[in-house]
């Protein structure tokens, strides 16, 4: 049996997991991300942690097929990152650097694309070779899997579905600098922003008026309890979600759409709400797509990262 590592590199912690080649996670741990000195310690720290693990467990390096890593920024096909603002990195060939530090094959990808690959392998989209994943968190990230492979695109920005424009009349700015992006409506912060807007435009009472600070979960809870303005907020959010996912489905024609991130904790009501508006906007050819929730949570990145290096070393 062969083994390997999946690494999910984030701005504050690095999650490292050890897998067998069938994709069973055998162990996982975290180390802090040291962003001092332009992030120069990050890859050496990861290499040291992996080496220590192998030494502690008396694992022969011959049994290790490699290390996959997901990073928070665009990554091209050669494993170059051009800029990872969270890490302090400018241009860097992480694949080559980490491989030289470890003496093992390394395969790198964008964290959102890698998480989508993980969900398509062992999570909500297991068994599906064509999948769209939307991660509805603080922002909206995404990943697209086509024929079992993540769509990286030429700059590594493929699958960046959170910045599709859905409202050209928006007046507030998105974090990316544009106006009217999906992220401004469908992220956890977007849901709260929409709720505040609905409350401002109406004179009706709502339990939401008495909650400070208002969270995304409050909006879903209030809607479940029948609060009219919370329900109206979610109708608007679902409308934007249905619209943009129908658009992406026109391009990808997936078997499944996986919804993940903090907003997806709303569960079935979210799936039902999005589905209803999706039907309104979708092209009939992709109307049979299934909507499911992500299943791997914070481990999706590690699973997908390991799958990257598994596919690179054992092409199907
Ligand atoms: Zn944007």
């Amino acid at each position: 049996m062969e083994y390997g590592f999946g690494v999910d590199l984030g701005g504050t912690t690095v999650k490292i997991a050890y897998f067998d080649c069938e994709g069973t996670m055998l162990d996982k741990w975290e180390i802090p991300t040291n962003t001092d000195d332009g992030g120069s310690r990050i890859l050496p720290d990861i290499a040291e942690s992996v080496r220590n693990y192998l030494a502690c467990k008396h694992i022969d390096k011959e049994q290790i097929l490699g290390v996959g890593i997901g990073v928070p920024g665009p990554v091209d096909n050669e494993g170059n990152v051009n800029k990872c603002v969270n890490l302090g990195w400018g241009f860097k060939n992480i694949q080559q650097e980490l491989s030289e530090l470890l003496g093992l094959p390394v395969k790198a990808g964008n964290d959102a694309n890698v998480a989508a690959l993980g969900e398509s392998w062992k999570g909500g989209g297991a068994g599906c070779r064509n999948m769209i994943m939307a991660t509805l968190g603080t922002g909206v990230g995404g990943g697209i899997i086509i024929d079992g492979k993540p769509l990286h695109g030429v700059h590594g920005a493929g699958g960046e579905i959170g910045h599709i424009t859905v409202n050209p009349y928006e007046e507030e700015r998105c974090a990316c600098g544009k106006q009217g992006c999906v992220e401004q409506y469908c992220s956890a912060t977007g849901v709260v922003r929409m709720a505040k807007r609905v409350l401002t435009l109406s004179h009706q009472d709502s339990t939401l008026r008495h909650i400070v600070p208002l969270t995304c979960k409050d909006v879903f809870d209030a809607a479940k309890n029948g609060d009219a303005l919370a329900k109206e907020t979610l109708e608007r959010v679902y409308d934007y979600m249905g619209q943009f996912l129908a658009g992406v489905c026109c391009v990808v024609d997936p078997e499944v759409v996986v919804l993940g991130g903090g907003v997806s904790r709303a569960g079935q009501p979210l799936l039902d709400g999005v589905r209803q508006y999706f039907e309104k906007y979708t092209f009939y050819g992709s109307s049979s797509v299934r909507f499911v929730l992500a299943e791997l949570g914070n481990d999706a990145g590690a699973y997908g990262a390991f799958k990257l290096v598994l596919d690179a070393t054992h092409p199907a």
Side-chain angles (χ1 to χ4, degrees):
M1 178 81 92
E2 285 178 301
Y3 302 86
F5 295 89
V7 178
D8 184 10
L9 171 50
T12 50
T13 57
V14 187
K15 298 185 185 70
I16 306 176
Y18 182 58
F19 292 89
D20 67 24
C21 62
E22 278 162 6
T24 308
M25 190 188 278
L26 302 170
D27 219 341
K28 65 169 170 175
W29 65 97
E30 288 185 16
I31 60 172
T33 307
N34 182 350
T35 54
D36 294 346
D37 186 29
S40 65
R41 286 298 312 162
I42 296 173
L43 295 179
D45 286 352
I46 294 170
E48 193 189 332
S49 185
V50 166
R51 265 198 308 268
N52 286 344
Y53 184 82
L54 294 176
C56 281
K57 302 276 175 180
H58 307 286
I59 300 164
D60 186 354
K61 215 159 106 177
E62 296 291 297
Q63 287 181 283
I64 302 300
L65 53 86
V67 177
I69 179 168
V71 302
V75 181
D76 72 14
N77 266 330
E78 276 73 52
N80 298 305
V81 298
N82 211 343
K83 198 176 196 174
C84 284
V85 272
N86 292 346
L87 306 178
W89 286 353
F91 183 86
K92 204 172 183 62
N93 189 324
I94 39 173
Q95 231 163 258
Q96 194 182 331
E97 267 187 48
L98 189 58
S99 180
E100 281 168 8
L101 286 164
L102 279 166
L104 287 167
V106 172
K107 192 76 189 160
N110 166 264
D111 57 359
N113 291 343
V114 164
L117 183 61
E119 284 289 341
S120 78
W121 189 34
K122 296 287 178 184
C128 297
R129 292 183 58 80
N130 294 280
M131 185 192 100
I132 294 167
M133 173 149 172
T135 304
L136 314 167
T138 319
V140 173
I144 292 169
I145 306 298
I146 294 176
D147 289 334
K149 292 192 168 37
L151 175 77
H152 294 300
V154 67
H155 306 101
E160 205 56 83
I161 56 182
H163 299 284
I164 293 173
T165 304
V166 283
N167 177 10
Y169 307 106
E170 177 61 54
E171 288 176 354
E172 286 178 40
R173 276 196 193 284
C174 177
C176 75
K178 294 194 304 156
Q179 284 143 291
C181 295
V182 167
E183 181 164 299
Q184 288 183 280
Y185 311 94
C186 304
S187 61
T189 33
V191 171
V192 172
R193 201 178 69 93
M194 288 301 282
K196 287 181 176 164
R197 184 173 286 180
V198 167
L199 292 174
T200 310
L201 292 173
S202 166
H203 298 293
Q204 223 177 313
D205 197 21
S206 162
T207 53
L208 298 181
R209 293 194 193 277
H210 312 290
I211 303 174
V212 185
L214 190 62
T215 67
C216 176
K217 182 174 185 297
D218 294 329
V219 179
F220 279 96
D221 286 346
K224 206 188 292 173
N225 293 329
D227 187 283
L229 295 188
K231 280 159 82 176
E232 187 185 331
T233 300
L234 291 184
E235 291 297 318
R236 293 185 184 205
V237 169
Y238 295 150
D239 193 326
Y240 284 123
M241 278 196 211
Q243 185 188 330
F244 100 88
L245 288 170
V248 181
C249 281
C250 272
V251 180
V252 177
D253 186 20
E255 296 158 80
V256 65
V257 174
V258 179
L259 301 181
V263 178
S264 72
R265 282 189 219 120
Q268 197 61 42
L270 171 75
L271 296 178
D272 295 342
V274 176
R275 175 93 223 175
Q276 186 195 334
Y277 284 93
F278 177 82
E279 304 285 350
K280 174 178 160 192
Y281 294 109
T282 193
F283 173 63
Y284 66 85
S286 50
S287 61
S288 67
V289 64
R290 288 185 296 124
F291 281 75
V292 302
L293 299 171
E295 290 174 4
L296 301 177
N298 289 332
D299 290 339
Y303 276 96
F306 175 63
K307 183 72 161 80
L308 265 191
V309 74
L310 183 66
D311 287 349
T313 52
H314 290 64

